Amino acid sequence: WTLQRLVVSPTPRFAILVGKMLGVFFNCVLQLVFLFIALTVVASLLSGGFTLIWGTDFVRIGLVILLAALASTGLGTLLAGLAKTPEQGQIYGSLVSVAMAVLGGAFGFQLPRAVSQFSLLYWGKDAFTKLANEQGDITLNLLVLLVFGVGMFGIGFWLFNRRLDI
């Protein structure tokens, strides 16, 4: 009940939500960095030499990691704003995660691009694939992840702030 205690305190809701989401954001960034390291280790072991599977453009890899984490955090904020109870939040989170995974091609099959583009996973995966193959520009991917992240955070914050009781 920590969140409920914070909401009734004189702390502005903006500070509460931004503080919570900064923690989630940094957690997402760390998870993606650890995934990058783990995949590099596995690829290096399998190939018998040091291998970077996402390429060597560390600036763009870092940007994709940061913006993918921002988009995920924005989605979490939107779900927190929509859910009226913690149980609803868990159900919404599970449903949206599975839907994003199916749309984004995380289960080994890819839906048509027109459908897949509705998933945050598609844009992140597409950017990493382009970086790994050293092909193409990922500006559109970065822009979509940024707009999704900021937009969903804004809507989620607005919904959360409108709620009188938690």
Side-chain angles (χ1 to χ4, degrees):
W1 295 95
T2 305
L3 182 60
Q4 290 78 359
R5 290 181 185 159
L6 286 171
V7 168
V8 297
S9 74
T11 309
R13 285 186 180 208
F14 177 78
I16 295 168
L17 192 59
V18 168
K20 174 72 174 157
M21 290 303 109
L22 278 175
V24 171
F25 173 75
F26 287 123
N27 189 6
C28 286
V29 169
L30 280 176
Q31 287 179 19
L32 288 172
V33 168
F34 288 146
L35 178 66
F36 177 80
I37 292 168
L39 290 175
T40 300
V41 169
V42 168
S44 297
L45 290 173
L46 291 175
S47 70
F50 185 69
T51 304
L52 294 169
I53 63 169
W54 287 340
T56 57
D57 190 349
F58 296 115
V59 172
R60 294 195 312 170
I61 290 171
L63 282 172
V64 175
I65 287 173
L66 289 174
L67 291 176
L70 176 69
S72 297
T73 304
L75 179 60
T77 307
L78 177 63
L79 294 175
L82 288 172
K84 303 222 183 306
T85 65
E87 292 79 21
Q88 270 186 347
Q90 290 175 349
I91 292 169
Y92 292 166
S94 296
L95 289 173
V96 170
S97 295
V98 170
M100 289 280 179
V102 169
L103 290 174
F107 291 119
F109 61 91
Q110 186 68 50
L111 296 174
R113 184 176 176 173
V115 176
S116 295
Q117 290 180 334
F118 288 101
S119 173
L120 298 175
L121 291 176
Y122 168 82
W123 293 101
K125 184 181 78 161
D126 186 55
F128 283 126
T129 301
K130 287 179 181 177
L131 288 173
N133 295 329
E134 296 178 5
Q135 66 174 0
D137 186 24
I138 62 165
T139 305
L140 178 62
N141 299 72
L142 297 176
L143 184 63
V144 169
L145 290 170
L146 177 67
V147 169
F148 265 121
V150 171
M152 288 188 294
F153 181 82
I155 293 168
F157 175 73
W158 179 74
L159 289 170
F160 178 79
N161 206 27
R162 287 192 55 204
R163 193 173 324 142
L164 295 177
D165 57 30
I166 303 233

